[in-house]
Structure formats: structure tokens, C-alpha cells
């Protein structure tokens, strides 16, 4: 077996100890006589797995008791529609911040349900920064304010939490949730598809403040009504059981590591290794404003774009995979989520240096 360092943006690398444990428990989970995949979601074994995963996630993020934690399906893209369906609560408009590819997708979907006021945008600058709070034009009558707290493709991360007064703040935190401590109490709702930094694809985590649920639009599908799912313990329909189980193993891995403060220290060190190098070379370039650079997704380009294919091919030969940038922006991108070990980041930077020596 030869595991590569996988810099893919998602589905993404998972912690090796988690994969090992899942493999060990594949045929039989804890003397149950069966695999987690084969269990009834209403049986006592899976109910315990689910409850433990929720408790561990609450502990890691310090989720206040006045918030529900839901394990749903449909990915972040489903939430682009599910959020307006649940949170408009009879209002006609919502504020959105456009900071990149994913926020634009969220806006396009929300426009099917309400009037979207784009409160701030960095599109004119090629989405290379996070629009500063002073420039946000918020509407006090908006149902909520939505932003993408880490733009997975552009590599733009909000290192601060916007202040939206009494209007609930909603974050698509898909690609940096659990990478750092988070003040959940400042949000109305946080959602994240699991396949970036939580676990396998198929699970979507929603953390929502109690007072925001129970007023979904009449046409909201029951499986996407936060109140219905909250009352059913996320089991109005069959949840993605195996994905919940693996996510639970990831939460335990994070707790053993020392929690999110420790994880953040490691992520800061990993990102610094790449950015420090990018800052002292002319051979590569980083497109993002320094103060808004993502710790999770690092886009970069070769000044000589003709070398891109050679770069990717040689990187792959070294066991450094999935470094190609998103088709919408090109260039390279290194996603270095929680599960990417420091050795992987070191191997990447070593390779980048060597490639520069050979082609610079
Ligand atoms: C990946 C991603 C999405 C889309 O997730 P799906 O699970 O494919 O729906 C949305 N927002 C962000 C920030 C992402 O990184």
C-alpha cells in the first residue's frame, strides 16, 4: 500500500488513524455482528454512534445549548436553497456577500426564493480578497445575512466574524469548519458539507439557533425543514449513517489531538510554510490579499504557465496529488485541510523549491 499526499479540495484526505479504525470495524462494529452500514438507523447501536458524534461536535465547537445540530444530506449546495426556505420567515429579501465562486452559487439559488441584496462584492477585483465590513451595505430589514466564510476555490478566508446586529448571520463554512475555534453564538446558522474537513461526502452539518426554526415556507420539503429534522433528531428519514459514523471518528481524532485550538496552531504552521515560500519566490505567485489568505485552500500559479503540466506531472510522480486548480480559475491549488499532515506540506514545499531550481 502506498498512500499519496492528497491535496484535493473535496472529497479530501482523511486522517489515517480514522481510516484504519473504520477498516478494523468494517465487518463488525463493537461486537454487534454487523457493519455500521448494515445497521438500522433506529437501532440502539447506531443511535449511540449518532448521539456520540453530535456530542463530540458540540464539545469541539462549544455549541451553546440553544442551538440544534443537524446531520442532513444534500451537501452545501442543497443548503443554498434550504436556508432561504427556512430562514426567510415571511420576509422578502436577504443580504448576501459575494466573495467568490461558492457565494455566487449561493446567491443564484437564493434568487429563486427571494430578493437578494448583494451587500458587498469583491468580484471587480477578481475575488482576491474578503470585502471589509465597512463596505458592507446591510439592510436592517433583511431576513438574514449570508457569507462564505472560506472560499474553497479562490482561497479567500474571513479571519473575522462579521457584525450584522440583530439580523441573523449565516455562514457556509464547508471548507474551514473545525480548522479553528469558532464563536458559534455569533451566528444564526452555520452549515458545511462534510467532504472537505469533516468526513465522507453525503453528510451535511447544520448548526442553527433555536429561534430561527419552525417558520419554514409551506412548500419546504419535510426532509429539509429544520424543525421537522430537529424534532426527529435528524432522523425524519434515513440519515447518511456511514458518513455520520466516520465523521464521528474524525471528531474523536480531533478531541484526542487536543481540540480546535491545537488544530488551529497546526494549521497556522502548515499554511505559513507554503505562504512564506510563495512570498520569497518570483517563480510562483499567490493571487490573494495577504490578510485574507486561506489556511485551508492555497491557490498559486507558476509565472511561466507553460510549465504547469510538467509541474503537475512531476508532483504526481512524487506522490503529491490533485494539485490542479479549479477548472473555473486554472493554476494550482493545494488544499491542506486538518487531515493533511505537516510532512505532506513539507514534501510539497520541497518539491516546489526543487522545481524552481530546475526550471527557474
Ligand atoms: C464544496 C463546497 C460547496 C458545495 O458542496 P456540495 O457538497 O457539492 O454541495 C459549497 N460551498 C463551499 C464553500 C464548498 O467548499
Amino acid at each position: 500500500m502506498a498512500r499519496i499526499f492528497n491535496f484535493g479540495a473535496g472529497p479530501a484526505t482523511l486522517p489515517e488513524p480514522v481510516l484504519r479504525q473504520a477498516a478494523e470495524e468494517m465487518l463488525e462494529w463493537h461486537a454487534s455482528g454487523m457493519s455500521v452500514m448494515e445497521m438500522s438507523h433506529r437501532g440502539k447501536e447506531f443511535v449511540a454512534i449518532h448521539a456520540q458524534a453530535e456530542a463530540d461536535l458540540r464539545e469541539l465547537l462549544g455549541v451553546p445549548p440553544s442551538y440544534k445540530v443537524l446531520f442532513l444530506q444534500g451537501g452545501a449546495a442543497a443548503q443554498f436553497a434550504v436556508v432561504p426556505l427556512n430562514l426567510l420567515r415571511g420576509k422578502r429579501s436577504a443580504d448576501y456577500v459575494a466573495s467568490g465562486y461558492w457565494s455566487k452559487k449561493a446567491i443564484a439559488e437564493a434568487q429563486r426564493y427571494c430578493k437578494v441584496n448583494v451587500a458587498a462584492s469583491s468580484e471587480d477585483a477578481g475575488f482576491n480578497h474578503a470585502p471589509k465590513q465597512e463596505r458592507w451595505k446591510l439592510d436592517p430589514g433583511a431576513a438574514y445575512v449570508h457569507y462564505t466564510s472560506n472560499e474553497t476555490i479562490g482561497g479567500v478566508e474571513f479571519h473575522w466574524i462579521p457584525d450584522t446586529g440583530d439580523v441573523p448571520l449565516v455562514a457556509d463554512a464547508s471548507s474551514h469548519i473545525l480548522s479553528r475555534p469558532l464563536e458559534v453564538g455569533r451566528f444564526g446558522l452555520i452549515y458545511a458539507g462534510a467532504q472537505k474537513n469533516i468526513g465522507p461526502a453525503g453528510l451535511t452539518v447544520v448548526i442553527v439557533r433555536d429561534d430561527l426554526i419552525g417558520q419554514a415556507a409551506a412548500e419546504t420539503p419535510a426532509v429539509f425543514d429544520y424543525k421537522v429534522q430537529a424534532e426527529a433528531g435528524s432522523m425524519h428519514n434515513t440519515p447518511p449513517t456511514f458518513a455520520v459514523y466516520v465523521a464521528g471518528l474524525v471528531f474523536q481524532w480531533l478531541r484526542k489531538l487536543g481540540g480546535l485550538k491545537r488544530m488551529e496552531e497546526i494549521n497556522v504552521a502548515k499554511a505559513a510554510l507554503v505562504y512564506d515560500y510563495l512570498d520569497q519566490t518570483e517563480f510562483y505567485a499567490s493571487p490573494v490579499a495577504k490578510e485574507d489568505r486561506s489556511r485551508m485552500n492555497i491557490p498559486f500559479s507558476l509565472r511561466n504557465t507553460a510549465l504547469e503540466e510538467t509541474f503537475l506531472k512531476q508532483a504526481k510522480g512524487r506522490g503529491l496529488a490533485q494539485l490542479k486548480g479549479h477548472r473555473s480559475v486554472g493554476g494550482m491549488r493545494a488544499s491542506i485541510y486538518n487531515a493533511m499532515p505537516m510532512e505532506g506540506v513539507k514534501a510539497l514545499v520541497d518539491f516546489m523549491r526543487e522545481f524552481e531550481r530546475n526550471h527557474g
Side-chain angles (χ1 to χ4, degrees), residues 92-160:
R92 292 212 170 79
S93 74
D95 284 348
Y96 277 71
V97 172
S99 56
Y101 181 95
W102 288 116
S103 43
K104 277 192 76 172
K105 291 269 186 199
I107 288 168
E109 192 73 349
Q111 279 168 335
R112 293 147 59 92
Y113 303 97
C114 65
K115 184 179 164 291
V116 168
N117 165 44
V118 177
S121 172
S122 55
E123 187 158 19
D124 287 351
F127 292 131
N128 68 354
H129 68 279
K132 298 234 179 331
Q133 172 100 53
E134 307 89 83
R135 303 211 323 263
W136 293 27
K137 293 202 173 62
L138 294 174
D139 169 11
Y144 59 88
V145 181
H146 178 284
Y147 80 122
T148 307
S149 49
N150 184 68
E151 286 282 0
T152 320
I153 292 169
V156 170
E157 182 169 7
F158 287 77
H159 295 286
W160 45 279

Side-chain angles (χ1 to χ4, degrees), residues 74-78 80 102 148 150-152 172-175 191 193 195-196:
F80 294 167
W102 288 116
T148 307
N150 184 68
E151 286 282 0
T152 320
D172 175 357
S174 294
S175 50
Y191 65 90
Q195 71 274 21
K196 290 17 186 300

Side-chain angles (χ1 to χ4, degrees), residues 13 23-24 34 56 70 98 105 110 113 152 160 180 189 195 204 227 229 285 305 316-317 322 327:
T13 190
E24 268 165 35
M34 61 181 113
D56 285 335
L70 307 177
K105 291 269 186 199
Y113 303 97
T152 320
W160 45 279
R180 59 200 295 165
L189 186 149
Q195 71 274 21
T204 315
K227 180 147 195 274
Q229 286 289 15
T305 51
K316 192 144 187 241
Q322 302 220 63
R327 56 195 144 76

